[in-house]
Amino acid sequence: MGDDLTLEDVRDLAEGAALLGTGGGGDPYIGRMLVERQLRAGRRIHVIGVDELPDDALVLPSAMMGAPTVFVEKLPSGDGNLAALRALERHLGRSAAATMPIECGGLNSMMPLLLAAQADLPVVDADGMGRAFPELQMETFAVYGVPGSPMSIASDHGDVGIVEAVDNRRMEHLARALTIQMGGAAYICDYPMDAATVRRTAIPGTLTLARRLGATLRRARQEHADPFAALSATLADTIYTHSRVLFAGKVIDVDRRTVDGFARGRVTLADAADDGDTLEIVFQNEHLVARRGGRVLAIVPDLICTLNSETGTPVTTEALSYGQRLTVFAISTPPIMRTPEALEVFGPAAFGLHEPYTPVEDLNQPARRRPRQGQMA
Amino acid sequence: MGDDLTLEDVRDLAEGAALLGTGGGGDPYIGRMLVERQLRAGRRIHVIGVDELPDDALVLPSAMMGAPTVFVEKLPSGDGNLAALRALERHLGRSAAATMPIECGGLNSMMPLLLAAQADLPVVDADGMGRAFPELQMETFAVYGVPGSPMSIASDHGDVGIVEAVDNRRMEHLARALTIQMGGAAYICDYPMDAATVRRTAIPGTLTLARRLGATLRRARQEHADPFAALSATLADTIYTHSRVLFAGKVIDVDRRTVDGFARGRVTLADAADDGDTLEIVFQNEHLVARRGGRVLAIVPDLICTLNSETGTPVTTEALSYGQRLTVFAISTPPIMRTPEALEVFGPAAFGLHEPYTPVEDLNQPARRRPRQGQMA
């Protein structure tokens, strides 16, 4: 990017990030409202590449933690965002040179932009998963040896905490407990690291990619083009090479609870022909696995996205509701997310799923029209 | 005291503190084992009066937080005790001149002694309630305007947290959530203050009082004297003026659960004559109210103590069990704990009790033998 973000950039970025958020990462409308308010107040948001900082510059990633179902019921004011940054700076005795997202998501790609405006810091064009995951240890930073703590956590009411955990999983548990006590939503700064470490461990270019994907959807709508074909065309020359429509249908059931600080549940879609063909997606904030008639079509860490079938607008898990017409769109996760070390941290087993990880492109060979019962082969 | 504590001092102090702990404050055996190990290793514990420090000396009180039921199932190693001190010192950018108990209790009068040995610091002879209470905001420090945070919290496993809350009640909620995640037991340092503030807000002399009460019980046992009469004689010339036996009987029911990070429940005693006369005590870590046939005999913040009827040994709420022969002994709380401001923080309503606070000496006028049914008045 290089230049300061415009209002249109922010809207595109929020929508594209919601797509990469794979059902999670928070509502894109809330995210962009917080950021647009800053731009309208005359503040600027400058995005820089991972190579633009000196090796020893301190980067403090930022995000919101909690169940996305809570964010839409109790809108975040954004006040705790700056408090979290200042608390971690004080604790470390150093000032941040930049902030960065830890994940892609409608809200969580926006929080670092908000912080950039609030604190007049640049935002690094990268993140720690190139999608969204529900737990703090599920980061490429963690996979490649970066401790997540010391981390800071703040509420909108002025409460602040610092967590120094023995490992990133303990950090998740301790911070989750604080988040629940803070009302189910909190602002965090975690994985403090220098720019050299960002270059070694982050997924580069995800803010740019999100903005491109959002722009793709916007243009497809303007041109009345197929949004899914347009997305696949944009993705093909990125590190998210493979993408495809897995299913198109109507939501016939949503089972969603806010438990343990997460939005957990499942959504079931029936196909338009209503011939008994259904697809079920299990989620924990984010979509984890899509099964059609019991057969896995896509599984974490590959991206499973639920989009409005007509407009391509991403629908996050907290917004799923009966009767929606959705297209389930799968995207292959970048290679850095598919290594054995990475799969140990955020592969299917990390979510209690029994199926092994199989790349989405292997699960879905090039489309062949399968014969219907009664038809000739 | 003035001199370093001896092994006998520590044993007396643990038992006397368990009495003042009014059913809570943790098991005295675990507490003194941790401290005795330090003394046997050659470390010293020096107790100083509240007047012995310069006004601006930093005092960092220390304690264990959690449900006493957990402490007896998973013995604390004491490792997190020093970690909590160091974390708060680092956060404040200052070294402690002394530590101090926040409450009296079999375990929680011992933790500052343990810390004194671990860190080679003196312990101030005072505390923040002159008894035990279950929640962190229930301190004379809080009543008289001292913020409890920044506070530190540490587990035995190396996890450390800092909480800076907007008020002392929010501090309690946030620290309780961390304690539960740390396994139901954690080490804390809270209410950082200077010595001048300690002098203004603390209950003075509680370590000395605990040691005297423990010595009183020890001597009564040696001399085969009535332990309850001996305790009343010792208490009469202290700020805990009134004390009396409320009931003697046998435990016929204990209902105790470890919920929300507390040991909550009730114990019912039947009198020895077995004529249907029962006394019920409701507790949340500590005993809150004693009712005989529905009539209140003592209520927080007055002290309700359950003691072995033969030996006078305090029995903490986590150790209550069916068939124990117990004497319920009530002690008036010091005047500083009975002001309207104090009762607002730890009076009956703070525990959801509907009865008003009435001093124990008013609830129990000098004993008159009441006529039994069928006897002439």
Side-chain angles (χ1 to χ4, degrees), chain A residues 224-261:
Chain A
H224 305 287
D226 174 2
F228 309 104
L231 286 174
S232 286
T234 298
L235 287 163
D237 69 345
T238 73
I239 52 177
Y240 297 75
T241 321
H242 308 280
S243 63
R244 55 179 298 135
V245 170
L246 294 183
F247 197 86
K250 196 177 67 174
V251 175
I252 57 166
D253 193 39
V254 183
D255 169 18
R256 181 180 49 222
R257 290 151 301 136
T258 304
V259 281
D260 308 328

Side-chain angles (χ1 to χ4, degrees), chain A residues 39-78:
Chain A
L39 293 186
R40 289 184 205 284
R43 298 210 181 79
R44 54 197 289 277
I45 298 167
H46 187 63
V47 178
I48 59 174
V50 292
D51 294 325
E52 294 183 50
L53 289 169
D55 272 3
D56 63 349
L58 178 65
V59 179
L60 297 185
S62 75
M64 281 208 81
M65 180 165 188
T69 36
V70 172
F71 306 148
V72 292
E73 290 182 8
K74 197 184 62 172
L75 296 184
S77 76

